[in-house]
Structure formats: structure tokens, C-alpha cells
């Protein structure tokens, strides 16, 4: 029976997973990549092997009661029934918030789980969801090593000044500061920079993670020095359903004049705004692109999405003191040539020159000329998690050996 490590990435209605051979190799050897989507409504399971061939698919039409518990039980049975079975040696989890303390992955003990639960007020929509599969596995398979890797951790290298809000120190000390998110994705991109272009690895880069959530990260020599998300995953760019940066006065107005409670205002800004709110049509870029000619709302939403990227890009370039490269990643960044072209045309002022043919192919370098260059690099958060998990376990082994 093959020994494997499982990586889980829990979303609001999805559970992504990857399975890696536990062979100690430096480059993780992936055997399966899959997901459950439509959890709570129309669950659908699909898994591919390392060559991208679909090796399993199942639907549970109308089974609204099918959640993480059922998904994990199904996945466990599926793994037991394939390739002569698999022995799980560890599970790695994507956890949104590591708070001020965790700049690396951590082993999930009952004390650490309690500490991470206590961070829920910092990410009320995401953190409780991240913690659910951890609890389920701890109950179903007690003793199976579990680790958490954090979306915030990669941004611990931001200078202190960049993490501050202009508020009294006591409130900063209570944890109200800029953390930044999408760090597992940005950490993965940084590992690819040297392979793609040496200037990305050593220079000043802005990367755009443009998925349902969206943010930019400014890197200096592969380390995060500034990012558009801050205290919460609501800040920065316009997203599928989130507003991005908004005048705090609007939040008070929604409550005082429009009768929303604090919880309603929060729910509104996270789920009814962004591409969905502005277009009045959809949070899905594909659908907006299809309808943009006929529906002015769809085009306006796209225009604002691009305008906000340009504005925030300018702020990161100021923080970096210049820019040597740009990287697109995630659902929109990897797949939507039209958005990439719009963004590169908007940031022409920084010297980027779109290569239209290369952009239509959408892999590798998509600019030309003598200025800074832009690239498409597909992200892989689960790859970062398994690498962090292995690094943590080998640090633990080393400290056990040196203590013996
Ligand atoms: P998440 O993992 O955060 O849910 P993704 O990274 O999958 O999100 O990104 C979802 C976004 O990517 C959606 O807006 C979707 O429309 C967009 N997207 C995916 N494929 C394409 C495509 N071929 N063309 C345009 N947009 C796409």
C-alpha cells in the first residue's frame, strides 16, 4: 500500500485536494488532484491523475446535506479502493489566518487548534470553514498527523511600517493591522521565478492573483514587501463578490442610513458587491465577458476591475520603488486573455508592452520590448502546503535527533 500525504483546501462550497507520494523527494510527486464542488447544494466530485486524465467522478443531485464530513468519508473510501489502497501518513490544510505569530506551517495539536479557532474574529467568513476538516479528521482518525499552512504567513516579511494602520498603538497591539492573504499562492509563484526569468527572482515584481478573491503582491527578491489585502480579505482589489478597498465612511452609512446591522453590512460587502454588485449580472468573469457587448453593466464591472488593478498596482510600485516584472495567476489571470490585455494596456505607463499573440497563447512571457516583462504562471497552493508540511516534519525530526 503506497504511503501518501493528503493536502486539503477548504472553500465556502468546495473542497480541493491533492495527493502526493510520501517518498521524501524534494520535488513533491503528485498522484491525484481533485475537488468536491457544490457542497450544500449539488455536490460533484472529480479527480484527475498526474497526467490530467479523469480517474473518478460522482454526483449527488439535490443532496444538500452532503458537506465536508460526507466528502472526507467518500474521499477516504475512494483512496482505499484505488491503486491497491493508500496509507495516509499526514494531512496538510490551507488555513486562512495564522494571526501575528505563525510565519510557517504548524502541527495541529488541540492547543494550536484552539489558538486558530480564536482567530475567527479576524476572518469570520473563512477561518471557521478552514478549521472544519481539521476537526473532522481529528475525530475520525485520531493520531494522524495534521498540519496547517497559512495564507497570511508569506507576508510576515513586509516591513513593519507597511503593516500599520494609522490608529493608536494599543489597537495595533490587539491585532488590528495589515496581514495580507493569498500567501500560499504567492509563495508558490516565488519558487517558480528563478525558472521563468532570473530578473523575477532578484528584482521587484508585482504578482496578480485574480480568482474569485483577488489581490496583488509586491515582491523584492522573492519576498513579500507589500500586498493589497490587509486586515481582512475584503481589502484591495475589486473581487467576484467583495468590494475591495472602500471608504470606511461607507460602512457607517450602510448601518446608520440604510438600516443594516454590522453583520448585514459585513455580509453585503463580502457577498453582494464586486463584479456581481457592479454588473448586477454575475460574479463570474467568463459570463461577464460573454455579455459585455450587450449589457453595459457587465462592461462597467470589467472596466472597474481593471481600473482598480491599475490604481493598486501604482501603489505597490511606489512601495517597491519601481518594477521589473509582472505576473498573472489564478482563474482569471491564467485563463482570461482579454483581462490580461486590458491590465497590461492600463499599466503601459510602467513600461509594459503587450505581445498580443503571446497573450492569446497565455503561457510564459506575454510582453515584448526592452521594458519590464509580464508572465502567466499557473499557481499551485497545495504544492506550497505539502512543501511546508515536509519542511516542518524534517525540522521536527532534526530537533528530536539533536535532543536524543
Ligand atoms: P477560486 O479558486 O478562488 O474559487 P479561481 O481561481 O478558480 O477562483 O477563479 C475564478 C474566476 O476565474 C471566475 O471569475 C471565473 O470566471 C474565472 N475564469 C476561469 N476560467 C476562465 C476563462 N477561461 N475565462 C475567463 N475567466 C475565467
Amino acid at each position: 500500500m503506497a504511503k501518501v500525504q493528503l493536502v486539503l483546501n477548504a472553500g465556502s462550497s468546495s473542497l480541493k485536494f491533492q495527493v502526493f507520494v510520501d517518498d521524501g523527494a524534494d520535488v513533491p510527486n503528485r498522484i491525484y488532484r481533485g475537488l468536491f464542488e457544490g457542497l450544500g447544494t449539488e455536490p460533484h466530485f472529480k479527480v484527475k491523475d498526474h497526467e490530467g486524465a479523469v480517474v473518478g467522478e460522482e454526483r449527488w443531485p439535490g443532496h444538500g446535506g452532503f458537506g465536508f464530513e460526507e466528502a472526507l468519508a467518500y474521499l477516504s473510501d475512494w483512496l482505499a479502493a484505488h491503486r491497491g489502497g493508500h496509507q495516509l501518513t499526514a494531512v496538510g490544510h490551507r488555513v486562512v489566518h495564522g494571526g501575528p505569530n505563525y510565519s510557517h506551517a504548524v502541527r495541529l495539536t488541540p492547543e494550536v487548534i484552539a489558538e486558530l479557532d480564536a482567530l475567527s474574529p479576524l476572518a469570520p467568513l473563512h477561518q471557521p470553514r478552514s478549521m472544519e476538516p481539521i476537526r473532522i479528521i481529528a475525530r475520525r482518525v485520531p493520531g494522524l498527523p495534521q498540519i496547517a499552512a497559512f495564507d497570511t504567513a508569506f507576508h510576515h516579511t513586509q516591513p513593519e511600517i507597511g503593516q500599520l494602520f494609522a490608529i493608536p498603538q494599543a489597537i495595533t497591539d490587539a491585532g488590528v493591522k495589515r496581514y495580507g492573504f493569498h500567501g500560499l499562492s504567492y509563495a508558490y509563484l516565488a519558487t517558480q521565478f528563478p525558472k521563468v526569468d532570473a530578473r523575477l527572482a532578484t528584482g521587484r515584481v508585482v504578482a496578480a492573483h485574480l480568482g474569485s478573491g483577488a489581490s496583488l503582491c509586491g515582491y523584492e527578491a522573492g519576498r513579500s514587501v507589500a500586498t493589497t489585502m490587509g486586515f481582512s480579505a475584503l481589502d484591495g482589489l475589486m473581487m467576484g463578490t467583495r468590494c475591495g478597498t472602500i471608504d470606511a465612511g461607507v460602512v457607517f452609512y450602510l448601518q446608520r442610513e440604510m438600516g443594516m446591522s454590522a453583520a448585514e453590512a459585513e455580509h453585503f460587502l463580502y457577498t453582494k458587491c464586486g463584479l456581481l454588485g457592479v454588473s448586477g449580472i454575475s460574479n463570474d468573469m467568463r459570463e461577464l465577458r460573454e455579455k459585455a457587448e450587450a449589457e453595459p453593466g457587465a462592461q462597467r464591472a470589467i472596466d472597474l476591475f481593471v481600473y482598480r488593478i491599475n490604481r493598486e498596482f501604482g501603489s505597490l510600485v511606489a512601495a517597491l520603488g519601481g518594477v521589473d516584472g509582472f505576473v498573472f495567476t489564478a482563474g482569471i489571470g491564467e485563463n482570461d486573455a482579454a483581462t490580461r490585455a486590458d491590465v497590461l494596456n492600463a499599466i503601459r505607463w510602467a513600461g509594459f508592452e503587450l505581445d498580443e499573440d503571446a497573450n492569446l497563447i497565455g503561457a510564459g512571457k506575454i510582453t515584448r520590448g526592452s521594458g519590464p516583462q509580464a508572465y502567466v504562471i499557473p499557481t499551485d497552493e497545495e504544492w506550497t502546503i505539502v512543501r511546508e508540511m515536509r519542511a516542518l516534519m524534517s525540522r521536527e525530526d532534526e530537533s528530536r535527533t539533536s535532543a536524543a
Side-chain angles (χ1 to χ4, degrees):
M1 208 167 6
K3 289 187 174 175
V4 294
Q5 294 173 325
L6 172 67
V7 171
L8 297 175
N9 182 345
S12 56
S13 64
S14 69
L15 181 66
K16 294 182 189 160
F17 64 88
Q18 293 194 21
V19 178
F20 298 89
V21 183
D22 184 4
D23 55 3
D26 194 35
V27 178
N29 183 359
R30 176 174 43 230
I31 43 178
Y32 298 120
R33 178 204 291 258
L35 89 165
F36 293 86
E37 55 188 350
L39 294 176
T41 50
E42 293 283 325
H44 174 207
F45 164 79
K46 192 169 186 177
V47 57
K48 296 179 178 175
D49 67 12
H50 67 288
E51 286 171 333
V54 176
V55 289
E57 188 159 14
E58 188 68 65
R59 287 177 191 277
W60 296 267
H63 192 341
F66 191 104
F68 284 154
E69 182 93 42
E70 293 72 17
L72 287 168
Y74 184 84
L75 179 59
S76 163
D77 291 348
W78 191 90
L79 287 171
H82 283 79
R83 282 199 178 186
H86 299 84
Q87 183 195 346
L88 268 190
T89 57
V91 185
H93 298 265
R94 175 187 182 189
V95 173
V96 166
H97 220 302
N101 297 329
Y102 291 116
S103 53
H104 292 287
V106 62
R107 188 179 278 265
L108 289 157
T109 61
E111 294 74 27
V112 172
I113 292 175
E115 204 182 325
L116 299 180
D117 278 337
L119 295 172
S120 287
L122 296 178
L125 272 66
H126 295 100
Q127 190 80 346
R129 205 64 186 146
S130 305
M131 300 305 293
E132 260 185 69
I134 295 170
R135 240 186 292 283
I136 293 167
I137 291 171
R139 196 179 64 241
R140 286 173 59 97
V141 201
L144 179 63
Q146 298 199 78
I147 70 107
F150 302 104
D151 266 319
T152 48
F154 186 68
H155 302 297
H156 271 246
T157 49
Q158 292 179 103
E160 194 196 354
I161 198 92
Q163 299 183 41
L164 294 180
F165 292 116
I167 55 174
Q169 182 73 34
I171 298 182
T172 304
D173 292 345
V176 182
K177 55 183 209 161
R178 299 180 58 89
Y179 293 95
F181 298 88
H182 287 145
L184 297 165
S185 172
Y186 291 127
Y188 175 78
L189 296 181
T191 66
Q192 302 304 298
F193 288 172
K195 297 180 202 167
V196 171
D197 182 340
R199 273 177 303 179
L200 296 179
T202 56
R204 298 157 299 182
V205 175
V206 173
H209 179 110
L210 308 178
S212 307
S215 69
L216 303 179
C217 176
Y219 300 75
E220 225 169 60
R223 286 153 63 95
S224 169
V225 295
T227 185
T228 57
M229 282 179 171
F231 175 67
S232 71
L234 196 57
D235 201 10
L237 302 184
M238 174 177 170
M239 309 181 210
T241 62
R242 292 174 236 164
C243 58
T245 296
I246 195 163
D247 180 342
V250 173
V251 186
F252 305 128
Y253 185 87
L254 292 175
Q255 295 181 56
R256 197 180 57 239
E257 303 298 328
M258 306 196 84
M260 292 188 194
S261 66
E264 283 166 348
E266 183 171 48
H267 184 75
F268 173 75
L269 295 172
Y270 269 98
T271 65
K272 305 281 185 229
C273 296
L275 294 173
L276 174 67
V278 175
S279 68
I281 296 169
S282 172
N283 63 343
D284 191 303
M285 184 57 93
R286 257 171 306 200
E287 196 177 338
L288 295 179
R289 286 284 172 199
E290 279 160 21
K291 298 191 171 157
E293 266 186 42
E295 305 265 5
Q299 188 60 51
R300 189 165 51 243
I302 295 170
D303 290 347
L304 184 55
F305 185 74
V306 173
Y307 175 83
R308 293 286 311 126
I309 292 172
N310 185 25
R311 287 277 301 263
E312 294 283 336
F313 167 77
S315 125
L316 290 191
V317 173
L320 291 167
V323 65
D324 304 305
F326 193 96
V327 173
F328 289 95
T329 199
I332 298 171
E334 291 168 29
N335 299 300
D336 188 9
T339 295
R340 289 195 302 262
D342 288 349
V343 169
L344 287 173
N345 286 326
I347 66 169
R348 261 186 96 84
W349 59 267
F352 292 91
E353 198 183 324
L354 172 68
D355 179 335
E356 281 173 24
D357 294 337
N359 183 44
L360 288 177
I361 298 166
K365 188 153 82 75
I366 56 168
T367 43
R368 59 174 163 225
S370 56
Q373 305 294 325
Y375 301 83
V376 179
I377 306 180
T379 196
D380 193 341
E381 291 162 331
E382 290 78 11
W383 199 85
T384 306
I385 298 170
V386 76
R387 295 253 300 188
E388 287 221 12
M389 171 153 78
R390 290 178 182 185
L392 170 71
M393 289 173 145
S394 66
R395 281 197 302 275
E396 288 176 342
D397 284 347
E398 274 167 29
S399 66
R400 261 194 299 274
T401 315
S402 58

